[in-house]
Structures are given as structure tokens and as C-alpha cells.
Amino acid sequence: MSRIAYVNGRYQDMRDASVNIEDRGYQFADGVYEVCEVRGGKLVDMPRHLARLQRSLGELRIAEPMPLAALSVVMHEVVRRNRVRFGIVYLQISRGVARRDHGFPAAGVKPSVVVTARSIDPAKGAANAARGIKVITVPENRWPRVDIKSTALLPNVLAKQAAREAGAYEAWYVDSDGFVTEGSSSNAWIVTEEGRVVTRPDKSGILSGITRSVLKEALEALQIRLEERPFTPQEAAGAAEAFVTAASMIVMPVVAIDGHAIGSGKPGPVALRLREQFHRFTTFS
């Protein structure tokens, strides 16, 4: 079946869909995006994603292209037209099309909107979780406003490629003070020998992940102690467990960091329990 995309008011076959070459998203990465999990044909935690989208647009002073309720309708329709049962839906909004100039375009330029969706085999994710993933660490080299979910992801691309070339699945950034910030496309977590779950606070240096925020609520409900504080790669190497979170991975156990086995070298019980219980605490629409 041909995939269908929504591009600036039209649902089109992916083979025919296109954006203007002077779209600022293409020329300047002047835009924002969201990735939402699709589970059983329903969108997971859509209100949280739309709220974060609204914040990102506001921080970059990009106008909302349509009411959030209308964006939700479009995203649901793209999922429906692509018959996605399990997968992701991707939304991107740029500042729009204008003559190339670093400054903002004149008032009246409409933001561009693109929505796509694709299926992901849930069995593949389950298999990855059963064996766990490996991560490497790389120096933090991104701009300071990583709290904005912008499309300017070249450092993330290079970090992810470095991980793949090292035989790993993900890369964790390490800041100038020696602390882990987050992954190239995920949030980073460890579990101490005492069973406490640790992740960096979202006040600086990381994106406030939607999966991360849901998991915090799950930890409280499951009476698992959470510590929001920085941790070093050395502490992670000596942890009982480690894992990452993202909409595309949910909770994914980490079994090695920079070639050093974490705990037993196998997915740990806390990460596996959180993965199993995660969707009890999400919303579906």
C-alpha cells in the first residue's frame, strides 16, 4: 500500500508529496517536530505532545498553523489512511516559505505543515528489549536550547552514526562537567544497586521527553524511588541497570556502555517491569 502524507492542506501519495525548496525548514532547520507512538491504531499521549509542540513553537516564535484540535484531526487521519496499527506518526512545522534570508520573513508567511506515519513491528521492539541495547558516550556538542524540539538535529545524526559504527544502538551525550545529559534520540536512566531510578532533571541540558514524563508518574504509582540528578558515565558503568526512553522505544534496557557490561549484562528487572507496565499510565485517543 502506498504511504500517504499530509503536506500543507493536502493528503498526498508519498511519491508525489513535496515541499518548496525555499521552505525554511529545509534551508535553516527553522522548525519543530513531534513523534507520537501509535498503539492499536490510537495515538498515545497526544495532549502531552501537542502541549510540548505549542511550547516549542512559542519559544521559536513560529505561529501555530492551525488550532491544536485541528492538528490532532490531521494526525489521526494520516494514521488512518496509512492503516497504522503499531508505529509512529511524525509532525513537522517550519516557519514557512520565503526568500532565503536569516531574519524572520515578513508577516503573513504561513508555517508549513507535514505529517507522515509508518508502521513499526512491535515484535522487533520486544526482541530488542529482551536482549537489551548497547550505548556509547560522546561529547555534548549541541546548542544550549535542546529543551526545544527543533529539527536542527545534525549533532544527533552524527552521534547516532557514531553509535552504529561502534556496534551500538544509541549514544549518550556527556557535558563539559562530565555528566550524562541524554541520548541522541532518547532520555537516559540508570538504576542504582539500592533500586533507585536516576535521570537528569529536565531543567537544563535535555529535552523533556513525553515518555519520560509518563514514566515519572508510573514510578510514583509503582512506589519506585526516583532521583532527578545528574550522573556520570562512571556511575552508569557501576549501576545495577540502565535504560533509555523514547516514543519509538518506550522503555529499552541498556546492557553495555562503552563496551562495559551493566549489571549482569542482561536486561534488568526494573527496566523490564517499567516497559511492561508503561501503557497503564498513558492516554489513548
Side-chain angles (χ1 to χ4, degrees), residues 17-197:
S18 62
V19 294
N20 192 294
I21 61 172
E22 288 199 304
D23 190 289
R24 291 178 64 91
Y26 170 69
Q27 295 194 336
F28 294 111
D30 187 3
V32 301
Y33 74 103
E34 284 290 330
V35 179
C36 184
E37 180 191 5
V38 180
R39 185 175 177 85
K42 295 184 180 296
L43 276 62
V44 178
D45 290 314
M46 172 62 75
R48 294 180 194 246
H49 282 282
L50 291 178
R52 185 173 64 181
L53 173 73
Q54 190 173 44
R55 177 185 180 276
S56 293
L57 290 170
E59 290 294 315
L60 295 184
R61 295 161 61 189
I62 298 176
E64 294 180 22
M66 64 183 79
L68 295 184
L71 273 176
S72 177
V73 170
V74 170
M75 294 172 75
H76 280 87
E77 181 63 13
V78 171
V79 168
R80 187 191 71 81
R81 292 191 182 212
N82 285 281
R83 302 179 186 176
V84 175
R85 295 287 297 164
F86 294 90
I88 58 171
V89 57
Y90 175 85
L91 164 67
Q92 179 173 307
I93 300 173
S94 79
R95 201 177 301 274
V97 177
R99 179 181 62 85
R100 191 178 190 281
D101 178 32
H102 284 68
F104 290 177
V109 171
K110 295 181 179 180
S112 299
V113 182
V114 172
V115 182
T116 60
R118 64 180 175 89
S119 296
I120 297 176
D121 183 0
K124 183 177 180 180
N128 284 339
R131 61 177 172 264
I133 64 170
K134 300 176 182 179
V135 305
I136 63 169
T137 56
V138 296
E140 179 65 84
N141 63 348
R142 301 171 298 166
W143 77 313
R145 293 305 309 274
V146 294
D147 58 296
I148 301 171
K149 199 168 177 69
S150 86
T151 57
L153 295 174
L154 184 55
N156 307 64
V157 169
L158 295 175
K160 184 73 77 173
Q161 183 61 25
R164 291 179 177 175
E165 292 174 356
Y169 189 90
E170 176 63 301
W172 281 2
Y173 287 108
V174 178
D175 67 19
S176 58
D177 295 320
F179 292 105
V180 173
T181 53
E182 61 185 341
S184 67
S185 61
S186 63
N187 288 126
W189 310 68
I190 61 172
V191 182
T192 69
E193 291 289 351
E194 297 77 25
R196 297 189 298 272
V197 174

Side-chain angles (χ1 to χ4, degrees), residues 224-244:
I224 299 174
R225 183 175 172 183
L226 170 66
E227 293 182 0
E228 289 189 88
R229 61 171 176 81
F231 61 87
T232 65
Q234 292 74 27
E235 182 180 4
E241 300 181 41
F243 59 91
V244 298

